Amino acid sequence: MPTIANAQAYKPDFNCAVDHSKDSIATMLCENSDAAKHELMFDQTYYALRQLVGKTGWKYLKQEAIADDDIFKECIAPADPNNPDALPPADPSCYISHMDALTEKYKHRLSGGALEEANRPIDQHILLQQQLITLGYLPSSAQADGVYGEATRDAIETWQRVNHRPTTDGFLSDQDAQALLSGSPSANTSASVSASNDISAVNPSGSTASSTDNAPPETSAYQPPSEPTEIDKEESLISIVNEGRQEYTDGQNDFQKGAARPRRASRICKLLQDPVVTGWYGTVDNLSSSSSGYGVLTIRISPHITVGTTNNSLSDSLGPQKTLISPSDPVFSQVANLHVGQHIIFSGRFSTSNDDCIEETSITQEGSMTDPDFEMRFTDVKPVN
């Protein structure tokens, strides 16, 4: 039977290898194992609740998570007036306290197998996910990161069916956990890895997503879901970009790094066959105006992904569509009442391109792959109530 390793070093549900130098919470989580552990403990409960509410409830759960994100601002020290460019540090103790409170808040809505799964020690929670990989219910390329997204839920349901468990609800009850850990590889698992794509929801840690921006996908074999909802589309885009970032970062030379971009573009095109999106969630990252008085808006949908207008009239005139917000556009009045850091829900149309499927405005390939800024013409922008 697999055993739990002692003194494990914990990492958050996002990639610490990319630049987080402008994010106090993300920087702290990458440096503090104990804080990262408590983030994973929140993920454990959040993803159990996400499974419980089902896809029809994801939108409202994500909206709640975004609103809960505000509490972590209390954990960031004031900017140093003598060194305004320095990143204000985040207090791990404050973060852990608030994160544990949120975990308990979400956990109160669970019962039965979902609650048993959420109450399990995090090391065993991760070990069970690794056992699904070992037994072949998840692909060998998957990572046991403690995030039970869609691929892990599908794997659990498959294991439950193959092993004739009392329920196939995708939760690992205490009895299921015991049975799974005592299992061994079986021929029955050869066809079980049919759905292998976890899609992360926004995690109210100040660093997301959720991960989760956002959590990394469990496999590189991304396939968009059939008839995805709008929240599916947003989370899937985040997953595709995260996967492309990891592929680019892992590239051993410029040839390998360059190949990641067209692969990402192909996946985006399969997902966003219509560039029009509605009801996406994000945080206002930039509010300004062009020299001609038109509105410039950038919205952050994950730690390393922004969606926004162009920032000058020349680029706007040369682009595939006009994205600067005219003072006569009703969206201009909507945006004028917002502020940086505010959580919003937005709709619009992505600009399209040959290189990235949807227009990406970074000057360098590295910027495009690690911190992409996708261009959009906004049609509706409202604060999250």
Side-chain angles (χ1 to χ4, degrees):
M1 179 181 297
T3 58
I4 299 173
N6 294 322
Q8 178 171 338
Y10 301 94
K11 293 296 183 182
D13 61 6
F14 55 88
N15 184 8
C16 288
V18 298
D19 181 25
H20 295 287
S21 60
K22 297 181 180 179
D23 189 327
S24 299
I25 295 290
T27 299
M28 180 273 294
L29 286 171
C30 289
E31 296 174 350
N32 191 294
S33 176
D34 194 34
K37 176 181 179 180
H38 286 261
E39 184 205 30
L40 293 177
M41 290 163 62
F42 170 84
D43 286 345
Q44 184 178 357
T45 293
Y46 179 90
Y47 279 89
L49 183 57
R50 188 173 184 264
Q51 173 73 1
L52 184 66
V53 301
K55 287 189 176 183
T56 58
W58 287 359
K59 174 180 178 180
Y60 304 103
L61 184 61
K62 184 175 182 179
Q63 182 175 344
E64 180 180 0
I66 290 172
D68 285 336
D69 184 63
D70 280 338
I71 193 67
F72 295 101
K73 294 177 182 177
E74 299 178 4
C75 301
I76 302 175
D80 184 353
N82 297 319
N83 189 8
D85 293 332
L87 182 69
D91 179 7
S93 297
C94 172
Y95 177 87
I96 290 172
S97 176
H98 286 317
M99 184 57 82
D100 287 350
L102 284 179
T103 300
E104 290 304 312
K105 169 191 169 184
Y106 285 51
K107 193 177 290 185
H108 282 313
R109 289 141 70 176
L110 301 175
S111 62
L115 182 59
E116 291 176 1
E117 179 184 289
N119 280 330
R120 189 165 294 128
I122 187 63
D123 288 343
Q124 189 179 47
H125 186 71
I126 296 171
L127 184 66
L128 288 162
Q129 193 177 33
Q130 179 60 53
Q131 182 73 338
L132 289 168
I133 298 171
T134 300
L135 296 179
Y137 290 94
L138 283 169
S140 59
S141 59
Q143 295 180 355
D145 56 8
V147 176
Y148 284 21
E150 289 183 76
T152 300
R153 295 299 174 190
D154 288 343
I156 293 170
E157 290 176 12
T158 301
W159 173 84
Q160 288 172 328
R161 287 194 299 271
V162 169
N163 290 276
H164 308 292
R165 302 302 299 169
T167 64
T168 56
D169 55 7
F171 295 110
L172 285 177
S173 67
D174 288 344
Q175 288 186 347
D176 278 343
Q178 184 177 4
L180 177 57
L181 288 177
S182 64
S184 59
S186 165
N188 288 331
T189 66
S190 60
S192 65
V193 189
S194 58
S196 56
N197 310 295
D198 274 1
I199 299 173
S200 297
V202 167
N203 175 346
S205 66
S207 63
T208 61
S210 239
S211 163
T212 161
D213 200 299
N214 37 18
E218 293 181 348
T219 173
S220 61
Y222 174 83
Q223 304 235 345
S226 59
E227 298 183 3
T229 65
E230 288 299 323
I231 197 165
D232 286 334
K233 290 180 182 178
E234 183 176 5
E235 293 183 356
S236 295
L237 178 63
I238 293 171
S239 290
I240 292 169
V241 173
N242 285 344
E243 183 178 324
R245 181 190 301 111
Q246 189 64 54
E247 184 178 355
Y248 179 86
T249 302
D250 290 344
Q252 299 300 307
N253 52 52
D254 289 344
F255 188 91
Q256 292 179 7
K257 289 179 180 292
R261 190 169 186 173
R263 279 196 282 266
R264 184 187 72 176
S266 175
R267 294 166 187 161
I268 291 175
C269 281
K270 288 179 182 178
L271 174 70
L272 298 178
Q273 298 182 25
D274 183 349
V276 175
V277 300
T278 58
W280 284 29
Y281 289 88
T283 304
V284 177
D285 193 66
N286 176 57
L287 284 172
S288 59
S289 61
S290 68
S291 58
S292 57
Y294 280 58
V296 176
L297 172 64
T298 304
I299 296 171
R300 187 165 296 281
I301 63 173
S302 86
H304 294 279
I305 307 172
T306 54
V307 175
T309 65
T310 56
N311 59 11
N312 64 84
S313 299
L314 178 60
S315 297
D316 204 47
S317 65
L318 298 175
Q321 65 174 343
K322 301 295 186 292
T323 63
L324 289 174
I325 306 171
S326 168
S328 62
D329 190 326
V331 175
F332 191 94
S333 297
Q334 291 179 316
V335 175
N337 294 317
L338 302 176
H339 59 79
V340 172
Q342 188 167 7
H343 301 307
I344 50 90
I345 180 171
F346 66 95
S347 302
R349 180 186 180 89
F350 281 109
S351 301
T352 57
S353 78
N354 292 327
D355 289 340
D356 296 288
C357 185
I358 52 178
E359 185 72 19
E360 200 286 318
T361 61
S362 299
I363 297 175
T364 65
Q365 178 170 268
E366 181 179 5
S368 171
M369 294 305 299
T370 60
D371 291 276
D373 181 14
F374 295 113
E375 187 178 286
M376 173 174 283
R377 177 180 176 84
F378 295 102
T379 57
D380 190 50
V381 182
K382 297 177 181 178
V384 173
N385 296 324

